[in-house]
Every structure is written in structure tokens, then in C-alpha cells.
Amino acid sequence: MTTTPRQHPETICLHAGYRSDPATGAVAVPIYQTTSYQFRDAEHAQKLFALEELGNIYTRIMNPTNDVLEQRMAALEGGAAALATASGQAASAIAVQNIAQAGDNIVSSTDLYGGTWTLFAHTMKKQGIEVRFVDPADPEAFRQASDDKTRAWYAETLPNPKLQVFPIAEVARIGREMGIPLIMDNTAAPVLCRPLEHGAAVVVYSTTKYIGGHGTSIGGMIVDGGNFPWEDHKARFPLLNEPDESYHGAIWTEAAKPLGPIAYALKARVTLLRDLGAAMSPFNAFLFLQGMETLPLRMREHSRNAQAVADFLKGREEVTRVIHPSQQEEKYRKRAETHMTGGFGGLLGFELAGGAEAGGKFIDSLKLFYHVANIGDARSLAIHPATTTHSQLTEDEQMSTGVSPGYVRLSLGLEHIDDILADLTQALEAAR
Ligand code: PLP
């Protein structure tokens, strides 16, 4: 079925990229658990390798099950193409490495998932890519931190623990003035926010979270918006505009022309996925497709439960602060409202008056919530960052990331709200 951007997310998530299996007529997307694909003849093989014809060669680079997931994600975001990866971490790394090499820099928001932070601050630094961190409170900080070696800006739509929506539209507009693409990690807000509509050039996901939705599989996705004029900025993007010696001199902006505005996605697939090998397993792609079928429904329900919990916690004497877009000062609340539709997602934080000790007791008293570092599961999840994900930081460093000693993060699941509130109530009482 052809899906147009005018279709709604509920329809796209069920139909985009697939009608039935061309070989068998199967309505559910089959799991093509194969490494390789028989070429029709020598000429066919030659054309595939020369990119004169698109087709399956080897599952490290493409796979029919993954292809449906990629098309579906691209359609959901309103992008031109997508690339499935083995994890969200692989998606972030490849998204940057695709346009930045040793000697280059990118500018990133300081409000980042910890794994992305270590990738940027340590691993990429060792590989010669400098990541300059700026406070997203001032969109102009991105401009000020950039120079002619800046290849991209990077941020998360709804970063936890602060849960202040990133000013996508404002920063993307400044970036486009300067010829710098904005890469948005939209892991926490699929369906609710479509960063490309606000001017982002690339969207990345940890599909491990809400896309899968059931806590079964690790995966990632890069969506190429097809909306960034790489060719207008030849000096800034030599990796897309100059001959690539790793692919018989291909110039990606030229090579992609017959296929559409997909130079960025095409290069990532046939060079970085080929060389680094961080491909998604077709079995996981199948599970992500299952997850996607109910994604819009789930995001609505996660959002509704998180909102109800925010309202409930506001009135509790054990709680000194509730961290949720609905509870923020007007500037951030308004920004959340302009960037997100249908809810603010399933994440929520709160601070316990009793500090770290109360945080530990609260977590240990939960019976329904799972105590895990993950987010985006159908089940409700909780963690006390000061003693887990943020325990390597000093207390001052923790505070600067928004984690006070009594901070608890919740990822609200799909259980009945009365059962969620009952579990929270008994754990709050036990933590007094
Ligand atoms: N981005 C965000 C916002 C995340 O929350 C995570 C994982 O927690 C990642 C990226 C990394 O994804 P993965 O764990 O699938 O590698």
C-alpha cells in the first residue's frame, strides 16, 4: 500500500511499506531469517553491487523484514528513508559518523541519555571527533559553539531526567541558516512528536523502548528526513559531496539522485553498516513491527497514565516536586504543547522529601513497578538514579543533570491507573 504523509499514524503504523508477502501472500510480515540472497544471474549481481539496481545482497546491509520496518518508520516520521541498526547506541554513533570524521566537531545538548553522553564525551573524542556540549536553555548557544568544522547538532526531544522539551524548531531554524543539520533522538516521544516537521534533518531512535514497547529486543533506527540540502554546503559535508574511495569513488549526493533525496541514508547503509556491522536482526525487526502496530494507542495510554500520576503526586506530602511537562514553568509547558500532540509521553520524575534514603525505601517497596534502568515498556518501571544510573557522578554533577538525592524516575506502563496509584501510594507510605 502506498502511504502518504496525509495518512494518520494509526494507519501508517499498520500499513506503511507492506501489503502482503510477494512470495507467499502472507499478511503478517514474514521473518526473512537469511544471511544471503541468490542473484538471478551475473549481470544482476553486478548491478546490485554497482547500486545500479537496488536489491538484497547480504543481511548485514539489508533484509526484507528490516526493510518493512525501515519504510514504516520513515513514513511515520515523514522522512525519505530509514536504516535499522542493532541498538539505539549504534544509531546515534552511525548518525554522527556518517557526516563527521577525525578533526571535525559536532555540537550537542547537555541533556542527553547517559550512554550517548559517554559515546560523545569519551569514545568519539578518542576517535578524533570533538563533541561540544551546550546548554539547550539558550538556542543561540548552538550557533556560538559552531565553526566551519561543525558537521551536525544533536539533541533529544524529551530528555530525562529534566523532561524539558528541546526547542527543536528554534535550533533547527538557526542550523539551517548556517547549513548545519539537526539530529534529534526521539526515543521518548514517537508519534507524539515528529521532529522533521519542526525542521530537524535526521531522527534517531532506540527502538528498544516505545517502538518495541514490550521490553523484548534491543534495536535502533536512523530516519533520513530527505530535507537537508547537503549539496548546497559542499565544504561542510565532504563525506557526502566528494568521491568515497571505499565505494569505488561514489559521490553520495550524485549516486542517490535516481533513488530520491536519500544520500545520507544510502551512504550510512552501504558504508557504515557494511563496515561496522551493527545490523538489526530480522527477528528483532519482526518484534518491532509487532510493537509498531499498537504504538499510537500505547503512546496515548502511556501519556494518560503519566498525566494522572503527575496530578496524583502533586497532592502528596511526601513529594516536594513533580517533574513532568504539565508541571513546568510556562515557557517549557508551552514548548511541550507546540512540539507534542496527543500527550507528553510516559516518563515522569518526582523528588521525595526524605532524600536518598526515602528513594531507596520507595523503590524497595514497589510491588507492581519493576526496578530497572529501561523505559518504554508496557509494564510500569521505576529507578532511583542517584544510587544507580548517576551513581558515578558527584552530588554536584548529579544536581546539574537534574538528579537530586530523592529523585525517582517512573516510566508509566499500560496497567489500570487505579492499580498504578495503589502501588505508588503504598510505596510512598512505606518510604515516609
Ligand atoms: N537514546 C535514548 C534517549 C535512550 O533512552 C537510550 C537507551 O536507554 C538510547 C538512546 C540507547 O539505546 P539502546 O539501549 O537501544 O542502545
Side-chain angles (χ1 to χ4, degrees), residues 260-273:
I262 63 163
Y264 177 90
L266 180 68
K267 173 186 178 288
R269 180 184 299 283
V270 300
T271 66
L272 289 173
L273 210 56

Side-chain angles (χ1 to χ4, degrees), residues 86-90 92 112-113 115-116 154 156 158 160 185-188 204-209 217-220 373-375:
S87 65
Q89 285 299 106
S92 314
L112 282 185
Y113 163 63
T116 313
Y154 192 100
E156 290 179 19
L158 184 63
N160 76 76
D185 179 339
N186 201 43
T187 298
V204 299
Y205 275 100
S206 165
T207 55
T208 312
K209 311 288 163 19
S217 321
I218 303 284
N374 194 24
I375 58 167

Side-chain angles (χ1 to χ4, degrees), residues 328-412:
Q328 285 159 357
E329 58 181 284
E330 197 184 342
K331 171 181 160 186
Y332 290 109
R333 209 179 56 241
K334 283 245 159 71
R335 188 189 291 159
E337 282 164 6
T338 53
H339 282 83
M340 300 176 80
T341 40
F344 296 137
L347 301 179
L348 175 147
F350 64 95
E351 288 177 359
L352 285 163
E357 199 188 328
K361 273 197 208 153
F362 173 84
I363 293 283
D364 284 342
S365 307
L366 289 168
K367 296 187 168 70
L368 186 67
F369 282 67
Y370 283 87
H371 179 200
V372 297
N374 194 24
I375 58 167
D377 197 312
R379 290 156 281 252
S380 285
L381 316 173
I383 195 151
H384 180 228
T387 51
T388 55
T389 51
H390 289 56
S391 60
Q392 306 304 316
L393 305 180
T394 64
E395 203 169 309
D396 279 354
E397 286 169 338
Q398 289 186 1
M399 291 299 282
S400 77
T401 67
V403 167
S404 66
Y407 185 100
V408 173
R409 184 188 77 202
L410 303 180
S411 170
L412 278 310

